[in-house]
Amino acid sequence: FYPYAQVEQYIPSAQTGLQFFGRFFARADLYFDYALTLSNGRGPTDALLDLDENKALGLRLKLTNQGKNVTVSGGGYGFAVISTDIKKVIVSVDPFTVEKEKTESYQDYAYAVDAKLELFGVRFQTELVQRFVLYENDVRPTVEGGYQPSYATLAYYALLGYTLPLEKWLGTVTITPYFMYQYNDSHDTARDYTHTYFAGLNIKPSPFVVLKAEFVQLKFSPDQGTGFRIVLAQMAVSF
């Protein structure tokens, strides 16, 4: 997901566990992708150790119709886990006894849906992702003024790009202008959100190099301020 929801990890950016995946062809140009994940979930230690022994389940489904000039795809992903933060407490020294104590526990659900259309050099793609965090009352964390409420987050974007038909003059070099809008609500208050507008240009002088220039305008919700504008430039090299 691009880009803020990845930072906030509405859906975990990485998981430690098992993945079963495959592809089923209904026709040569129509195929179905699937993936099932079983992991430690998300948390400060889950990348290395599953302290609460609660496993996370994930399911990814995607259908693609790939033609010569038109490609259409759509899919979704679901994620569910009961996350628990645990600290170890020394109960006695002789004999040495340690017990695990839950410091925070919540049900964690997330889903994402996405779609993409590629038509004669035009690309339109969109994605929506939402996460729900439901705390257990007996291990609900405290915040200033009380206890942390359960909450839901939401983000979505839409991108439109066009690879200019310049093969006659530029050969394999491609130039792609694009525009994108993104909405993000990453907190539990109704007036805490952002609108972000992007306008950019990708230039691919070789299969291994991409040059990118991008203008970004970010508008905060009224409670956060007015927002800001930035200009970005980067070069990506793959080998």
Side-chain angles (χ1 to χ4, degrees):
F1 193 86
Y2 182 98
Y4 191 75
Q6 288 182 329
V7 176
E8 291 291 319
Q9 295 199 60
Y10 290 179
I11 290 176
S13 59
Q15 302 178 58
T16 300
L18 300 174
Q19 181 182 37
F20 306 91
F21 61 93
R23 174 174 290 180
F24 170 77
F25 284 89
R27 300 193 308 262
D29 60 347
L30 181 65
Y31 52 89
F32 178 75
D33 293 296
Y34 60 89
L36 176 66
T37 59
L38 177 67
S39 74
N40 290 348
R42 76 165 93 226
T45 63
D46 286 337
L48 302 173
L49 183 66
D50 190 4
L51 291 177
D52 60 6
E53 299 181 354
N54 289 333
K55 301 304 178 186
L57 292 177
L59 178 63
R60 167 65 170 164
L61 302 174
K62 182 180 179 181
L63 182 65
T64 302
N65 189 347
Q66 186 171 12
K68 182 178 180 181
N69 295 312
V70 180
T71 297
V72 181
S73 63
Y77 176 73
F79 173 86
V81 68
I82 298 177
S83 293
T84 306
D85 288 340
I86 294 176
K87 68 178 181 180
K88 292 183 177 181
V89 179
I90 299 176
V91 179
S92 65
V93 178
D94 187 17
F96 186 77
T97 306
V98 176
E99 289 185 354
K100 295 178 180 179
E101 179 181 311
K102 292 196 299 183
T103 59
E104 181 179 328
S105 184
Y106 54 90
Q107 300 174 47
D108 188 345
Y109 305 102
Y111 73 90
V113 291
D114 59 272
K116 182 170 66 174
L117 170 66
E118 295 177 291
L119 175 67
F120 296 101
V122 176
R123 169 181 287 200
F124 173 78
Q125 64 186 60
T126 184
E127 186 174 2
L128 180 147
V129 59
Q130 189 167 24
R131 180 189 179 197
F132 303 90
V133 174
L134 308 175
Y135 286 99
E136 293 183 15
N137 288 329
D138 56 341
V139 283
R140 185 183 294 268
T142 58
V143 295
E144 184 178 355
Y147 290 91
Q148 170 70 45
S150 298
Y151 62 91
T153 61
L154 173 69
Y156 57 85
Y157 78 87
L159 181 148
L160 179 65
Y162 178 53
T163 300
L164 302 177
L166 303 175
E167 298 91 345
K168 181 179 178 181
W169 299 276
L170 301 180
T172 59
V173 177
T174 61
I175 300 177
T176 305
Y178 63 90
F179 303 93
M180 191 178 81
Y181 165 76
Q182 178 177 272
Y183 172 84
N184 180 73
D185 179 1
S186 61
H187 299 84
D188 56 353
T189 58
R191 294 176 59 81
D192 198 359
Y193 55 85
T194 58
H195 301 275
T196 311
Y197 304 87
F198 303 81
L201 184 68
N202 285 353
I203 301 176
K204 194 172 184 180
S206 79
F208 309 104
V209 178
V210 177
L211 307 176
K212 178 178 180 178
E214 186 175 67
F215 170 79
V216 181
Q217 178 172 341
L218 189 147
K219 293 184 177 181
F220 294 115
S221 59
D223 292 347
Q224 293 180 294
T226 57
F228 57 85
R229 299 182 180 93
I230 57 176
V231 177
L232 304 172
Q234 71 178 47
M235 180 176 68
V237 180
S238 61
F239 52 87

